[in-house]
Amino acid sequence: MSGASGKPTKRLWINSLEIDEIQKGFSNLKKGNDYLPLYEEAKTRQISDWLVGINASRLYTLLMQKKGLRGVYSVGRVQTPTLYLIYKRQNEVENFQSKPFYELVGDITTDAGTFNAKYKERFDQEEKAKELLQSHGITDRKNNGVIKSVEKQLKKSKAPKLHSLSTLQTKANKKWKYSPSEVLKIVQGLYEKKLVTYPRTDCHFITDNEFNYVKEKLSEYQSCLGIQFDVAYPNARKGYVDGAKVQEHYALIPTKQVAHIDDLSEKERNIYKEILSTTLSMFAPDYEFEETIVEIDVNGLMFHKTGKIEKRKGWKVLLGEESETKKEDEPVLPEMNEGDSCSVTVSIKEGMTKPPKLFTEGNLIQVMKNAGKEVDDENVKAILKQTEGIGTEATRANIIDTLKHQEYIEIKKNTVYVTPKGALLCQAVDGTLLASAEMTAKWEQYLSKIGKNEGSQQTFLDTIEKFILSLLDTVPKQVENIKEQIDQAMEKTFIGICLQCQNGKIEDKGTFYGCTGYQDGCTFTLPKIYLGKKLSETDIKALLNGKRTKLIKGFKSKKGKKFDAYLRIEHGKIKFDFP
């Protein structure tokens, strides 16, 4: 367009916005042509996503509508495998059958105090537990025991990794129930105020340049947080500072410009402090605790107990009580020595197996990032790990919002549930590559070849065309196979029998309620909003059953006057009953 076609181009390739790094980048400009394959890779990804999305969405929508369902069924390379992951987990929870198990618990009494310990194995039948106790001559009364071993170890845990966008989204959802898209919006605002670095990053490392300026401003940052700590690690450590592991962007950290905390909103303050605390924690001492592992011998049967004593809070001064270790709830044990005698009262405790937990919005981000865990094929798993799962740091929050917008999922008390509409789509795509993270992996494998100039756009798009043609061939049969589920779903959407034709059923038509017999000439409808007031589904059901609604307050007449009234239907028309 500028008439410069064929001229040599140079590319500035930097991952830091510090002045010396920008200057270094300009003095080492790269050849523009070397990066054209990356452009081809991105363009191919965009075209293929569009081709799959537009064809598969139309295909499923038309087939579902043919069966009588309303609305659009949006399908996509990333959104559909994500939806299927949620659906699969929800099915696991709903179909989970809790089973009893039995454990042997010993209440231990020593000279210095009491504690309880467990035999390490569980039993599926109470009789098996009783048999084991009998074989060792153990009764439910006091038994003599010996402290077989006491092992004490001083353990340390390092500060957590620096934040990428996804770890920040997960943490903020867990701490404050912020949605992933809300976190991105908040951190984008902080970035635009020049208080934090580029937010859409998947990296947990910084370069020496960022480390140096953070170190220089350490005291200012501490004052900002109002927390002082001893600097245990003044020098850069590989777990946090590694230029070789920084690609396009480095980890999410504060900029040189220190925030005035009082100028920020509560949510901005929370997110800024989280980023700042996590960054400063790499300078703080390790968290230290003493772990004690005790083994108790009761007539040859071994009981075990692990306890711990916190020795040094370290980086937890900055990040609160949340621990990177899994042994947070372990108790402090009384002093004891190997060979000490004790008395042990053994009991059989019954427990029930628990289903896996449903996803929250925060851990859904991590599930997308680690989608490789859902795949059995080791090669595919490796590709997904390399490509950071499904979606990118910049798009995952948007994908979740798309699933909400399409009414495939809903969030209740921060837990993600698949809606009936979402479940129907999952049943329709079940068994296809559209339901699988595997497809993303195989695509990404070839797309990365294009980026390295080892593959061609045309070859990839030819494969996509074959994939779409196979969908056109197989999907109609699959949708036919779930006819029963579609009929059940449609039945649930009906609110009542039509008062006018008596044959049709009333269903939600989007902006109003209407009769399914409209094609046969039935014109009966009921409004969703009447004289300025929204009518609930309960109100509509009452009207269809010949009853009047509850008292509805705040109707607005044509003259603008407000009034309260009950509604009922008479000769097909809405009438008022006044209190």
Side-chain angles (χ1 to χ4, degrees):
M1 285 174 73
S2 64
S5 180
K7 302 282 184 188
T9 58
K10 299 278 186 179
R11 182 174 286 274
L12 175 66
W13 193 264
I14 55 172
N15 49 35
S16 169
L17 296 182
E18 293 308 305
I19 290 172
D20 53 350
E21 276 299 289
I22 295 170
Q23 288 173 339
K24 198 190 294 180
F26 271 114
S27 61
N28 292 286
L29 292 171
K30 311 286 186 184
K31 289 179 183 175
N33 285 354
D34 291 351
Y35 295 90
L36 284 177
L38 290 178
Y39 158 72
E40 286 298 326
E41 178 189 337
K43 188 178 176 185
T44 309
R45 183 182 282 104
Q46 194 174 28
I47 293 169
S48 56
D49 278 357
W50 179 77
L51 281 170
V52 172
I54 199 167
N55 285 289
S57 296
R58 287 176 168 189
L59 175 63
Y60 280 96
T61 298
L62 291 170
L63 288 169
M64 298 294 223
Q65 287 181 351
K66 202 174 174 183
K67 297 289 177 195
L69 289 166
R70 294 180 62 255
V72 172
Y73 283 81
S74 167
V75 176
R77 179 175 75 97
V78 178
Q79 63 163 295
T80 307
T82 302
L83 175 64
Y84 196 81
L85 285 171
I86 305 165
Y87 170 74
K88 196 173 159 189
R89 173 57 62 89
Q90 193 163 309
N91 271 354
E92 284 172 15
V93 173
E94 286 171 359
N95 298 323
F96 184 83
Q97 290 186 330
S98 188
K99 293 178 182 175
F101 64 85
Y102 301 89
E103 291 182 309
L104 298 179
V105 179
D107 290 321
I108 320 288
T109 303
T110 69
D111 291 340
T114 60
F115 62 97
N116 60 52
K118 284 182 182 178
Y119 177 65
K120 62 183 176 185
E121 289 177 30
R122 284 179 172 181
F123 304 87
D124 56 1
Q125 292 174 9
E126 190 175 8
E127 281 307 309
K128 290 180 182 177
K130 286 179 179 176
E131 284 170 15
L132 184 67
L133 291 177
Q134 284 170 3
S135 69
H136 284 270
I138 298 171
T139 68
D140 56 2
R141 294 185 294 277
K142 283 186 179 179
N143 302 271
N144 293 324
V146 177
I147 306 299
K148 184 80 174 172
S149 66
V150 180
E151 195 180 311
K152 291 185 179 182
Q153 275 187 324
L154 184 67
K155 292 201 168 183
K156 298 179 180 183
S157 80
K158 288 201 303 184
K161 293 186 290 189
L162 298 174
H163 274 308
S164 67
L165 175 61
S166 60
T167 57
L168 180 65
Q169 286 169 320
T170 302
K171 188 80 173 282
N173 183 259
K174 189 177 178 182
K175 280 179 89 169
W176 304 293
K177 306 292 184 282
Y178 299 165
S179 73
S181 55
E182 190 177 13
V183 175
L184 179 54
K185 188 179 176 185
I186 296 163
V187 77
Q188 177 69 26
L190 292 170
Y191 172 66
E192 285 167 13
K193 290 178 180 177
K194 297 185 170 59
L195 296 175
V196 299
T197 57
Y198 185 72
R200 291 169 177 80
T201 176
D202 60 0
C203 184
H204 296 285
F205 298 90
I206 55 175
T207 71
D208 288 316
N209 288 284
E210 289 79 52
F211 179 81
N212 291 336
Y213 84 66
V214 172
K215 184 179 173 180
E216 279 174 23
K217 291 197 161 279
L218 207 49
S219 60
E220 285 183 61
Y221 291 139
Q222 289 193 64
S223 298
C224 178
L225 282 175
I227 300 171
Q228 298 298 317
F229 62 88
D230 296 328
V231 175
Y233 295 103
N235 300 318
R237 288 186 286 166
K238 277 284 184 186
Y240 310 95
V241 186
D242 191 344
K245 291 184 178 173
V246 176
Q247 298 301 316
E248 293 84 0
H249 309 290
Y250 47 81
L252 191 41
I253 62 170
T255 60
K256 288 178 181 176
Q257 186 175 318
V258 184
H260 295 289
I261 290 291
D262 294 340
D263 294 343
L264 302 178
S265 68
E266 183 190 353
K267 289 181 178 180
E268 284 178 325
R269 208 157 44 235
N270 286 340
I271 294 294
Y272 182 73
K273 281 185 169 184
E274 175 60 34
I275 295 168
L276 187 53
S277 299
T278 303
T279 305
L280 297 194
S281 69
M282 68 177 164
F283 296 96
D286 293 340
Y287 172 64
E288 294 180 12
F289 59 95
E290 184 181 77
E291 185 178 76
T292 306
I293 301 169
V294 182
E295 197 175 39
I296 303 100
D297 183 342
V298 186
N299 294 356
L301 199 64
M302 296 299 173
F303 287 77
H304 300 267
K305 185 66 175 182
T306 304
K308 79 172 191 184
I309 301 169
E310 190 176 82
K311 292 290 186 182
R312 190 181 197 186
K313 223 164 181 58
W315 53 265
K316 285 198 179 188
V317 170
L318 289 155
L319 292 172
E321 286 304 309
E322 290 173 52
S323 174
E324 295 297 299
T325 63
K326 294 177 182 176
K327 298 174 179 175
E328 190 64 30
D329 299 324
E330 289 163 0
V332 176
L333 297 175
E335 277 296 324
M336 64 192 106
N337 297 303
E338 203 172 296
D340 284 358
S341 297
C342 58
S343 66
V344 185
T345 305
V346 178
S347 57
I348 298 172
K349 294 279 171 71
E350 183 182 347
M352 298 296 287
T353 55
K354 291 180 181 178
K357 288 184 178 178
L358 292 168
F359 297 133
T360 63
E361 278 194 90
N363 59 30
L364 186 53
I365 289 282
Q366 291 303 318
V367 168
M368 292 172 78
K369 192 168 182 174
N370 302 313
K373 289 179 182 174
E374 303 291 326
V375 175
D376 296 324
D377 186 310
E378 288 302 319
N379 291 332
V380 173
K381 197 176 276 192
I383 297 158
L384 272 168
K385 189 175 180 183
Q386 189 183 331
T387 56
E388 289 284 293
I390 51 179
T392 67
E393 298 288 320
T395 61
R396 287 185 191 116
N398 191 44
I399 290 293
I400 295 171
D401 281 350
T402 298
L403 294 175
K404 288 185 203 171
H405 178 71
Q406 296 296 341
E407 296 179 345
Y408 290 150
I409 62 171
E410 56 187 348
I411 315 297
K412 296 178 190 170
K413 293 183 179 176
N414 201 39
T415 302
V416 184
Y417 294 89
V418 176
T419 64
K421 180 184 178 183
L424 264 184
L425 180 62
C426 288
Q427 287 160 0
V429 301
D430 190 26
T432 71
L433 287 175
L434 282 167
S436 169
E438 187 178 337
M439 180 181 73
T440 302
K442 287 180 175 172
W443 281 20
E444 290 300 341
Q445 187 180 37
Y446 194 86
L447 286 165
S448 66
K449 281 187 177 180
I450 297 172
K452 293 170 188 167
N453 214 13
E454 295 168 3
S456 82
Q457 183 183 87
Q458 197 53 51
T459 303
F460 188 74
L461 294 180
D462 286 346
T463 307
I464 294 298
E465 188 178 327
K466 286 176 190 168
F467 171 63
I468 291 166
L469 289 171
S470 77
L471 287 178
L472 292 171
D473 182 46
T474 58
V475 170
K477 298 167 199 163
Q478 280 183 293
V479 172
E480 197 61 46
N481 289 338
I482 62 162
K483 185 179 183 302
E484 190 181 325
Q485 290 95 316
I486 290 173
D487 290 344
Q488 286 171 359
M490 286 180 65
E491 199 62 42
K492 286 178 185 174
T493 64
F494 299 143
I495 293 166
I497 303 296
C498 178
L499 292 175
Q500 186 169 300
C501 69
Q502 297 295 322
N503 289 322
K505 294 175 180 175
I506 300 300
E507 63 179 354
D508 188 337
K509 297 283 189 183
T511 55
F512 64 95
Y513 295 98
C515 179
T516 54
Y518 70 96
Q519 287 176 326
D520 300 322
C522 183
T523 56
F524 183 75
T525 62
L526 286 170
K528 278 194 172 182
I529 296 174
Y530 192 63
L531 295 185
K533 290 298 291 182
K534 187 176 180 181
L535 303 185
S536 69
E537 200 172 289
T538 306
D539 295 329
I540 299 296
K541 282 179 180 176
L543 293 173
L544 293 173
N545 288 326
K547 299 174 183 175
R548 69 180 191 179
T549 65
K550 64 182 184 301
L551 182 66
I552 300 172
K553 297 182 177 183
F555 284 118
K556 209 172 187 179
S557 71
K558 288 178 183 177
K559 293 181 179 177
K561 289 185 177 179
K562 286 194 175 184
F563 63 94
D564 305 338
Y566 303 94
L567 299 183
R568 60 184 168 82
I569 288 185
E570 191 179 293
H571 306 304
K573 301 287 183 187
I574 292 179
K575 300 288 183 183
F576 293 112
D577 278 348
F578 296 99

